[in-house]
Amino acid sequence: MSKVLSAHAVSVDGYITGRDPGAGRGLGDGTTLFDWYFAGDTPSRVFDGFKLSESSARVFDAFAGRVGAVVAGRNTYDDSDGFGGGSPHPNARLVVLSHRPVPEISERQTLVTTGIEDAIAAAREAAGDGDVGLMGGGVLTEALKAGLVDEVVLHQVPVLLGGGRPFFQTLPEHVRLRLIEAVPAPGVTHLHYAVER
Ligand SMILES: NC(=O)c1ccc[n+]([C@@H]2O[C@H](COP(=O)([O-])OP(=O)(O)OC[C@H]3O[C@@H](n4cnc5c(N)ncnc54)[C@H](OP(=O)(O)O)[C@@H]3O)[C@@H](O)[C@H]2O)c1
């Protein structure tokens, strides 16, 4: 069965956006979280236009290459202007999780309003042999609560943003993680964890 993973660029104080994210404003004042995408000479094999350091390219492409479908939360969808009717990933269908209708959803996107289990099931089906990527702290938290997350990746950027949307939200109990790999790279440290169940 395909795995479920969530890989985000995150500040050392745990934010995946800066202050005031939103439609037309993206990550708000937290755009520095993505600087490492363009801080090297190695083109990504998956994302056109990304030029990473050699060590970041190895890690980034390893994850990006596994993803066959993405589940994004409504805030991620709205703050990213609906991904222009497409997907945040060049090779993966987008499943949007919301409690509410999304009037502008396109035929290249799937809306699920019946919960995280159904969203991940729809993404698994769309992913074929690929894995499912989760986008958004809210969605990651819901999936952790449901026991559906296999791996978490922090692309940890050495900045304290001081505010924004948090990667991890309130959980009812501890979730144990096992470090698989830690890769220091220019402008970012890649921390790859398995979720222990
Ligand atoms: N730094 C990075 O690498 C990175 C990566 C991805 C995203 N981001 C950014 O991070 C922010 C993510 O924001 P976030 O963590 O607040 O939100 P999110 O996970 O993207 O979305 C949360 C929303 O999804 C819907 N939702 C969540 N669980 C649900 C459930 N079980 N059933 C139905 N709907 C459910 C709810 O929307 P409704 O109740 O409103 O329908 C909820 O408010 C965005 O600004 C995004 O651009 C950053």
Short mmCIF file of all heavy atoms in Angstrom, two decimals, residues 7-10 16-17 21 26-27 33-34 37 72-77 79-80 97-100 112-116 135-140 142 165-166 169, ligand 1:
data_model
loop_
_atom_site.label_atom_id
_atom_site.label_comp_id
_atom_site.label_asym_id
_atom_site.label_seq_id
_atom_site.Cartn_x
_atom_site.Cartn_y
_atom_site.Cartn_z
N ALA A 7 5.90 16.56 3.98
CA ALA A 7 7.21 17.24 3.95
C ALA A 7 6.96 18.73 3.78
O ALA A 7 6.35 19.16 2.79
CB ALA A 7 8.05 16.70 2.80
N HIS A 8 7.40 19.51 4.76
CA HIS A 8 7.17 20.96 4.72
C HIS A 8 8.44 21.72 5.04
O HIS A 8 9.27 21.24 5.82
CB HIS A 8 6.13 21.36 5.77
CG HIS A 8 4.71 21.04 5.40
ND1 HIS A 8 4.31 19.79 5.07
CD2 HIS A 8 3.61 21.83 5.32
CE1 HIS A 8 3.01 19.80 4.79
NE2 HIS A 8 2.56 21.03 4.93
N ALA A 9 8.54 22.90 4.50
CA ALA A 9 9.58 23.84 4.92
C ALA A 9 9.07 24.52 6.19
O ALA A 9 7.97 25.08 6.21
CB ALA A 9 9.83 24.87 3.83
N VAL A 10 9.87 24.43 7.25
CA VAL A 10 9.39 24.87 8.56
C VAL A 10 10.48 25.68 9.26
O VAL A 10 11.67 25.36 9.16
CB VAL A 10 8.94 23.65 9.40
CG1 VAL A 10 10.07 22.66 9.61
CG2 VAL A 10 8.34 24.04 10.73
N ILE A 16 5.01 27.14 9.29
CA ILE A 16 5.10 26.81 7.86
C ILE A 16 4.67 27.99 6.98
O ILE A 16 4.66 27.89 5.76
CB ILE A 16 4.29 25.54 7.51
CG1 ILE A 16 2.83 25.66 7.96
CG2 ILE A 16 4.97 24.31 8.11
CD1 ILE A 16 1.95 24.49 7.51
N THR A 17 4.28 29.07 7.61
CA THR A 17 4.09 30.35 6.92
C THR A 17 4.63 31.43 7.85
O THR A 17 4.89 31.16 9.03
CB THR A 17 2.59 30.69 6.67
OG1 THR A 17 1.98 31.09 7.91
CG2 THR A 17 1.84 29.52 6.09
N PRO A 21 -0.51 35.11 6.06
CA PRO A 21 -0.62 34.37 4.79
C PRO A 21 -2.03 34.55 4.22
O PRO A 21 -2.92 34.98 4.94
CB PRO A 21 -0.41 32.91 5.22
CG PRO A 21 -0.96 32.86 6.62
CD PRO A 21 -0.64 34.22 7.23
N GLY A 26 0.29 34.39 -0.41
CA GLY A 26 1.07 33.17 -0.19
C GLY A 26 1.42 32.96 1.27
O GLY A 26 0.55 32.93 2.14
N LEU A 27 2.73 32.85 1.53
CA LEU A 27 3.22 32.57 2.88
C LEU A 27 3.31 33.83 3.75
O LEU A 27 3.93 33.81 4.81
CB LEU A 27 4.61 31.91 2.83
CG LEU A 27 4.72 30.56 2.12
CD1 LEU A 27 6.15 30.04 2.23
CD2 LEU A 27 3.75 29.53 2.70
N LEU A 33 11.18 30.84 3.86
CA LEU A 33 11.11 29.38 4.04
C LEU A 33 11.44 28.63 2.75
O LEU A 33 11.84 27.47 2.79
CB LEU A 33 9.72 28.96 4.52
CG LEU A 33 9.34 29.32 5.95
CD1 LEU A 33 7.88 28.94 6.22
CD2 LEU A 33 10.26 28.60 6.94
N PHE A 34 11.24 29.28 1.61
CA PHE A 34 11.46 28.60 0.32
C PHE A 34 12.75 29.04 -0.37
O PHE A 34 13.02 28.63 -1.50
CB PHE A 34 10.28 28.84 -0.62
CG PHE A 34 9.00 28.15 -0.22
CD1 PHE A 34 7.78 28.56 -0.73
CD2 PHE A 34 9.00 27.06 0.64
CE1 PHE A 34 6.59 27.92 -0.37
CE2 PHE A 34 7.82 26.41 1.02
CZ PHE A 34 6.61 26.85 0.50
N TYR A 37 15.05 26.47 -2.16
CA TYR A 37 14.65 25.89 -3.46
C TYR A 37 15.50 26.47 -4.61
O TYR A 37 15.59 25.88 -5.68
CB TYR A 37 13.20 26.23 -3.79
CG TYR A 37 12.12 25.52 -2.99
CD1 TYR A 37 10.80 25.98 -3.06
CD2 TYR A 37 12.38 24.41 -2.21
CE1 TYR A 37 9.78 25.35 -2.35
CE2 TYR A 37 11.36 23.77 -1.50
CZ TYR A 37 10.07 24.25 -1.58
OH TYR A 37 9.07 23.62 -0.89
N ALA A 72 -4.38 18.43 0.18
CA ALA A 72 -4.14 19.76 0.76
C ALA A 72 -5.36 20.21 1.54
O ALA A 72 -6.51 19.98 1.13
CB ALA A 72 -3.82 20.77 -0.34
N GLY A 73 -5.12 20.87 2.66
CA GLY A 73 -6.20 21.45 3.43
C GLY A 73 -6.74 22.70 2.76
O GLY A 73 -6.09 23.31 1.90
N ARG A 74 -7.93 23.09 3.19
CA ARG A 74 -8.60 24.24 2.57
C ARG A 74 -7.77 25.52 2.71
O ARG A 74 -7.76 26.36 1.79
CB ARG A 74 -9.99 24.42 3.21
CG ARG A 74 -10.79 25.57 2.63
CD ARG A 74 -11.14 25.30 1.17
NE ARG A 74 -11.90 26.38 0.57
CZ ARG A 74 -13.22 26.46 0.54
NH1 ARG A 74 -13.94 25.49 1.09
NH2 ARG A 74 -13.83 27.45 -0.05
N ASN A 75 -7.08 25.69 3.83
CA ASN A 75 -6.29 26.91 3.97
C ASN A 75 -5.14 26.94 2.97
O ASN A 75 -4.84 27.99 2.39
CB ASN A 75 -5.74 27.03 5.40
CG ASN A 75 -6.83 27.28 6.41
OD1 ASN A 75 -7.95 27.59 6.06
ND2 ASN A 75 -6.51 27.10 7.69
N THR A 76 -4.50 25.79 2.79
CA THR A 76 -3.41 25.73 1.80
C THR A 76 -3.96 26.03 0.41
O THR A 76 -3.35 26.78 -0.37
CB THR A 76 -2.74 24.33 1.84
OG1 THR A 76 -2.12 24.18 3.11
CG2 THR A 76 -1.71 24.18 0.74
N TYR A 77 -5.10 25.45 0.10
CA TYR A 77 -5.73 25.67 -1.21
C TYR A 77 -6.06 27.15 -1.41
O TYR A 77 -5.69 27.76 -2.43
CB TYR A 77 -7.00 24.82 -1.30
CG TYR A 77 -7.70 24.87 -2.63
CD1 TYR A 77 -7.25 24.12 -3.72
CD2 TYR A 77 -8.83 25.67 -2.80
CE1 TYR A 77 -7.91 24.16 -4.94
CE2 TYR A 77 -9.49 25.72 -4.02
CZ TYR A 77 -9.03 24.96 -5.08
OH TYR A 77 -9.68 25.01 -6.29
N ASP A 79 -4.94 29.81 0.32
CA ASP A 79 -3.76 30.70 0.39
C ASP A 79 -2.90 30.59 -0.85
O ASP A 79 -2.07 31.48 -1.13
CB ASP A 79 -2.91 30.36 1.63
CG ASP A 79 -3.62 30.71 2.93
OD1 ASP A 79 -4.75 31.25 2.87
OD2 ASP A 79 -3.06 30.42 4.02
N SER A 80 -3.05 29.48 -1.61
CA SER A 80 -2.27 29.29 -2.84
C SER A 80 -3.11 29.60 -4.07
O SER A 80 -2.81 29.13 -5.18
CB SER A 80 -1.76 27.84 -2.91
OG SER A 80 -1.07 27.51 -1.71
N LEU A 97 -9.22 18.95 0.98
CA LEU A 97 -10.07 18.57 2.12
C LEU A 97 -10.67 19.82 2.74
O LEU A 97 -9.95 20.74 3.14
CB LEU A 97 -9.23 17.81 3.17
CG LEU A 97 -10.00 17.37 4.42
CD1 LEU A 97 -11.11 16.38 4.08
CD2 LEU A 97 -9.03 16.75 5.45
N SER A 98 -12.01 19.83 2.81
CA SER A 98 -12.71 20.98 3.38
C SER A 98 -14.02 20.50 3.99
O SER A 98 -14.51 19.41 3.67
CB SER A 98 -12.98 22.03 2.30
OG SER A 98 -13.57 23.18 2.86
N HIS A 99 -14.58 21.32 4.87
CA HIS A 99 -15.94 21.06 5.36
C HIS A 99 -16.98 21.72 4.45
O HIS A 99 -18.17 21.51 4.63
CB HIS A 99 -16.11 21.64 6.78
CG HIS A 99 -15.24 20.99 7.81
ND1 HIS A 99 -14.07 21.54 8.27
CD2 HIS A 99 -15.37 19.81 8.47
CE1 HIS A 99 -13.52 20.75 9.19
NE2 HIS A 99 -14.28 19.69 9.31
N ARG A 100 -16.49 22.55 3.50
CA ARG A 100 -17.41 23.42 2.75
C ARG A 100 -17.23 23.23 1.25
O ARG A 100 -16.17 22.79 0.82
CB ARG A 100 -17.12 24.89 3.07
CG ARG A 100 -17.19 25.24 4.52
CD ARG A 100 -16.61 26.63 4.76
NE ARG A 100 -15.16 26.67 4.74
CZ ARG A 100 -14.42 27.52 4.04
NH1 ARG A 100 -14.99 28.39 3.25
NH2 ARG A 100 -13.10 27.49 4.11
N VAL A 112 -12.99 16.68 -1.29
CA VAL A 112 -13.55 15.72 -0.33
C VAL A 112 -14.04 16.52 0.88
O VAL A 112 -13.29 17.33 1.44
CB VAL A 112 -12.50 14.67 0.09
CG1 VAL A 112 -13.03 13.81 1.23
CG2 VAL A 112 -12.12 13.79 -1.10
N THR A 113 -15.29 16.29 1.28
CA THR A 113 -15.85 17.01 2.44
C THR A 113 -16.25 16.05 3.56
O THR A 113 -16.90 16.45 4.52
CB THR A 113 -17.09 17.84 2.02
OG1 THR A 113 -18.04 16.95 1.42
CG2 THR A 113 -16.73 18.94 1.06
N THR A 114 -15.84 14.79 3.43
CA THR A 114 -16.28 13.77 4.39
C THR A 114 -15.17 13.29 5.31
O THR A 114 -15.30 12.24 5.94
CB THR A 114 -16.90 12.58 3.62
OG1 THR A 114 -16.00 12.20 2.56
CG2 THR A 114 -18.24 12.95 3.03
N GLY A 115 -14.08 14.03 5.38
CA GLY A 115 -13.08 13.71 6.39
C GLY A 115 -11.77 13.20 5.83
O GLY A 115 -11.62 12.89 4.64
N ILE A 116 -10.78 13.13 6.73
CA ILE A 116 -9.41 12.81 6.34
C ILE A 116 -9.28 11.39 5.80
O ILE A 116 -8.51 11.15 4.85
CB ILE A 116 -8.44 13.05 7.54
CG1 ILE A 116 -6.98 12.94 7.10
CG2 ILE A 116 -8.72 12.09 8.70
CD1 ILE A 116 -6.49 14.04 6.21
N MET A 135 -0.41 18.27 2.58
CA MET A 135 -0.01 19.69 2.63
C MET A 135 -0.92 20.46 3.57
O MET A 135 -2.14 20.50 3.38
CB MET A 135 -0.07 20.32 1.25
CG MET A 135 1.04 19.87 0.33
SD MET A 135 0.97 20.74 -1.24
CE MET A 135 1.54 22.35 -0.76
N GLY A 136 -0.30 21.08 4.57
CA GLY A 136 -1.04 21.89 5.53
C GLY A 136 -0.92 21.29 6.92
O GLY A 136 -1.02 20.08 7.10
N GLY A 137 -0.71 22.16 7.90
CA GLY A 137 -0.59 21.69 9.27
C GLY A 137 -1.88 21.10 9.80
O GLY A 137 -1.87 20.12 10.57
N GLY A 138 -3.02 21.66 9.39
CA GLY A 138 -4.30 21.14 9.83
C GLY A 138 -4.54 19.73 9.32
O GLY A 138 -4.97 18.84 10.06
N VAL A 139 -4.24 19.53 8.05
CA VAL A 139 -4.42 18.21 7.45
C VAL A 139 -3.46 17.19 8.07
O VAL A 139 -3.83 16.06 8.37
CB VAL A 139 -4.24 18.31 5.91
CG1 VAL A 139 -3.84 16.99 5.30
CG2 VAL A 139 -5.53 18.80 5.29
N LEU A 140 -2.20 17.60 8.27
CA LEU A 140 -1.25 16.69 8.91
C LEU A 140 -1.75 16.29 10.30
O LEU A 140 -1.71 15.11 10.67
CB LEU A 140 0.14 17.34 9.01
CG LEU A 140 1.14 16.57 9.87
CD1 LEU A 140 1.41 15.17 9.32
CD2 LEU A 140 2.45 17.35 10.00
N GLU A 142 -4.84 16.21 11.44
CA GLU A 142 -5.99 15.29 11.31
C GLU A 142 -5.52 13.88 10.97
O GLU A 142 -6.03 12.89 11.50
CB GLU A 142 -6.94 15.81 10.22
CG GLU A 142 -7.75 17.01 10.62
CD GLU A 142 -8.68 16.70 11.78
OE1 GLU A 142 -9.61 15.90 11.58
OE2 GLU A 142 -8.47 17.25 12.87
N ARG A 165 1.35 30.19 10.57
CA ARG A 165 0.56 28.97 10.75
C ARG A 165 1.50 27.85 11.20
O ARG A 165 2.53 27.62 10.56
CB ARG A 165 -0.14 28.58 9.46
CG ARG A 165 -1.19 29.59 9.01
CD ARG A 165 -1.98 28.99 7.86
NE ARG A 165 -2.75 29.97 7.13
CZ ARG A 165 -4.01 30.31 7.42
NH1 ARG A 165 -4.63 29.75 8.43
NH2 ARG A 165 -4.64 31.20 6.68
N PRO A 166 1.17 27.13 12.27
CA PRO A 166 2.08 26.11 12.80
C PRO A 166 2.00 24.80 12.01
O PRO A 166 0.95 24.44 11.49
CB PRO A 166 1.55 25.89 14.22
CG PRO A 166 0.10 26.21 14.13
CD PRO A 166 -0.04 27.29 13.09
N GLN A 169 -0.20 20.96 15.29
CA GLN A 169 -1.26 21.54 16.11
C GLN A 169 -1.57 20.58 17.27
O GLN A 169 -0.86 19.59 17.46
CB GLN A 169 -2.47 21.81 15.22
CG GLN A 169 -2.10 22.75 14.06
CD GLN A 169 -3.22 22.99 13.07
OE1 GLN A 169 -4.35 22.57 13.27
NE2 GLN A 169 -2.90 23.68 11.99
N1 LIG B 1 5.98 25.74 4.33
C1 LIG B 1 5.49 24.79 3.54
O1 LIG B 1 6.22 23.90 3.04
C2 LIG B 1 4.02 24.75 3.29
C3 LIG B 1 3.48 23.60 2.67
C4 LIG B 1 2.11 23.55 2.52
C5 LIG B 1 1.30 24.60 2.94
N2 LIG B 1 1.88 25.70 3.48
C6 LIG B 1 1.06 26.80 3.96
O2 LIG B 1 0.64 26.44 5.24
C7 LIG B 1 -0.66 26.97 5.51
C8 LIG B 1 -1.53 25.79 5.96
O3 LIG B 1 -2.49 26.25 6.77
P1 LIG B 1 -3.19 25.36 7.90
O4 LIG B 1 -2.23 24.44 8.52
O5 LIG B 1 -3.93 26.36 8.73
O6 LIG B 1 -4.29 24.62 7.08
P2 LIG B 1 -4.58 23.39 6.12
O7 LIG B 1 -4.20 22.11 6.73
O8 LIG B 1 -4.07 23.71 4.76
O9 LIG B 1 -6.17 23.53 6.05
C9 LIG B 1 -6.96 23.38 7.22
C10 LIG B 1 -8.40 23.38 6.79
O10 LIG B 1 -8.70 22.20 6.05
C11 LIG B 1 -10.01 21.77 6.34
N3 LIG B 1 -9.97 20.50 7.07
C12 LIG B 1 -8.99 20.05 7.89
N4 LIG B 1 -9.33 18.85 8.40
C13 LIG B 1 -10.55 18.56 7.90
C14 LIG B 1 -11.42 17.46 8.06
N5 LIG B 1 -11.11 16.41 8.84
N6 LIG B 1 -12.59 17.47 7.38
C15 LIG B 1 -12.91 18.51 6.57
N7 LIG B 1 -12.10 19.59 6.38
C16 LIG B 1 -10.95 19.60 7.05
C17 LIG B 1 -10.62 22.84 7.25
O11 LIG B 1 -11.15 23.85 6.38
P3 LIG B 1 -12.67 24.39 6.41
O12 LIG B 1 -13.28 23.98 7.73
O13 LIG B 1 -12.49 25.86 6.28
O14 LIG B 1 -13.34 23.77 5.27
C18 LIG B 1 -9.39 23.38 7.94
O15 LIG B 1 -9.57 24.66 8.48
C19 LIG B 1 -1.13 27.64 4.25
O16 LIG B 1 -0.96 29.04 4.34
C20 LIG B 1 -0.20 27.07 3.17
O17 LIG B 1 0.02 27.95 2.10
C21 LIG B 1 3.22 25.79 3.69
#
